[in-house]
Amino acid sequence: MTGPGTGTGTDTGTGVQAPPEAPSLGRKVGSAARWSLVNTVVMRLGNFVTGIILARFFLGPEAWGVYGIAQTVLLVLLSANELGVSLAIVRWEGDPRRFAPTVLTLSASSSCLLYAVLFTAAPAVARVLGSPEAAGILRVMCVCVVLDGLAQVPAGFLTREFAQGRRMAIDAVNFVLSTGVTLLLAVEGRGAISFAWGSVAGNAAALAGCCLAAPGTLRFGWDREQARALLRFGLPLAGASMLALGVVNVDTMVVGSALDQLALGFYVLAFNISGWPVRIISEAARRVSFAGFSRLAGSPGALAGGFGRALGVVMTGTVPLCVLLAALAAPIVGLVYGDRWLPAAAALPWLMALGLVRIGCELAYDCLVAIGRRRSLIGVQGLWLVILVPALVIGAGAGGIVGVAQGHVLVAGAVVVPVFLFALHRGGVALRTVARACAWPFLGGAVMAAVVLGLERLLGDGLLALLATAAAGTLCYVLCILPSLGFLRGTPPAGTAAAAGG
């Protein structure tokens, strides 16, 4: 006869059943990564389809531009709405429930203060950004700042516990509700404010879902010493986050203030399209890159090899997407969004080049953070932003949205990339490592671009012709990168293996 403990533990030899073995950290991280990947793909696909429906049938470029201004302001506020203190829930050791009430009080207070300031300043902000009618939309959409501030603590507990399955369910409810409200109002002809009310509805649902998934975490409290430590920890992170988001979003502000709403709408659409590879490839890579580089930080040789392979994999996957969207910009925009959006295609090739640079810089950023060069990275982001603003203003005056995109690429290529390469070199990653990682993808991209452009002129831009052109270009790209597969897999060269065996 079996005892009641059979099957639930391990006999230690003393007649005492050992407790069931807890899931290892590796299994937790692996499961969370899989859920997070599925979540990202599903949500991105849903947002992509929703954007197409709205752009083709309900919202014109002017409404899209007003939404772009409101979304930019919201993103900048969200980057620092809780002063960076919520990350302590995920990263600090010990029981987070001891300091969570102080985190919630700081987060909620700063979020409410930010919203009060924006509510008062909304008309002036909208006028400065070239969209006076965006004031009401700003006041509605930025309610999300307060909702997000309240949700930071329960969401932080879910992240700390690797509860990505529950997080996916919350994000799904957020998406369904926000999309439903947005589409309903857009069908009724409410214009850009449809986005605002949809965002508020979705964020309110997300707050309720986080509280249900992490019960007992929405509790206010205050401890002066904890607050001081939290602010010392969080404020530098909030500052770095604001700088990074400023780099990504300042172009929208420049276009809105220097050009008209029509141009802004076209630019926002083109920038969103250029972000497809960044969001798909970069988000997946960054889930594991920081942890991986941190493990290798103590060994310069292993770190350089790991970074080189990671960069090679990311570039190999990103280059063909960027080439297709750049070379076939006009046919793709016309086919997906409709002919009235074709002016957006003029800026898209330049923005695709920018997207490729951003992916490499984000990977380098993770590597440098992992080896402890955090302060220098804040300097890099600050330098990028300081040089970028005048370049974008000059570009807008000289060439409209195309000039803005060209200014972005010029600053990124001539200033930011060299600075990152220098920082990587000082961190132990040689220039030849970066060159080796990028050589085959860039060669394949050049061949692919030539084939795609030639076939597009020969076959035209119908749907079947575009599919055939894309397939032929991709095949050529794959053939070009075949020699790099061993490097991407981490397989040592044959000569090295033979020498090691001897």
Side-chain angles (χ1 to χ4, degrees), residues 51-105:
I52 292 174
I53 294 172
L54 290 169
R56 284 192 71 95
F57 303 112
F58 301 114
L59 299 178
E62 294 89 349
W64 207 269
V66 173
Y67 160 70
I69 287 293
Q71 181 72 8
T72 297
V73 174
L74 175 62
L75 288 174
V76 172
L77 292 180
L78 288 176
S79 68
N81 70 315
E82 37 70 65
L83 305 179
V85 297
S86 65
L87 287 176
I89 297 293
V90 180
R91 296 175 64 175
W92 278 15
E93 296 181 358
D95 183 5
R97 293 182 183 271
R98 291 187 300 102
F99 54 85
T102 305
V103 172
L104 182 60
T105 301

Side-chain angles (χ1 to χ4, degrees), residues 202-271:
N203 276 268
L207 172 59
C210 286
C211 292
L212 291 173
T217 57
L218 199 68
R219 185 167 58 88
F220 291 93
W222 184 255
D223 183 293
R224 182 179 299 176
E225 293 303 317
Q226 289 178 355
R228 289 175 180 171
L230 287 165
L231 290 173
R232 285 196 300 269
F233 168 80
L235 287 176
L237 296 174
S241 180
M242 286 194 72
L243 285 173
L245 272 173
V247 167
V248 176
N249 293 289
V250 69
D251 51 356
T252 302
M253 298 181 182
V254 169
V255 173
S257 59
L259 303 174
D260 55 30
Q261 290 181 19
L262 190 65
L264 178 60
F266 291 136
Y267 184 84
V268 170
L269 183 78
F271 194 87

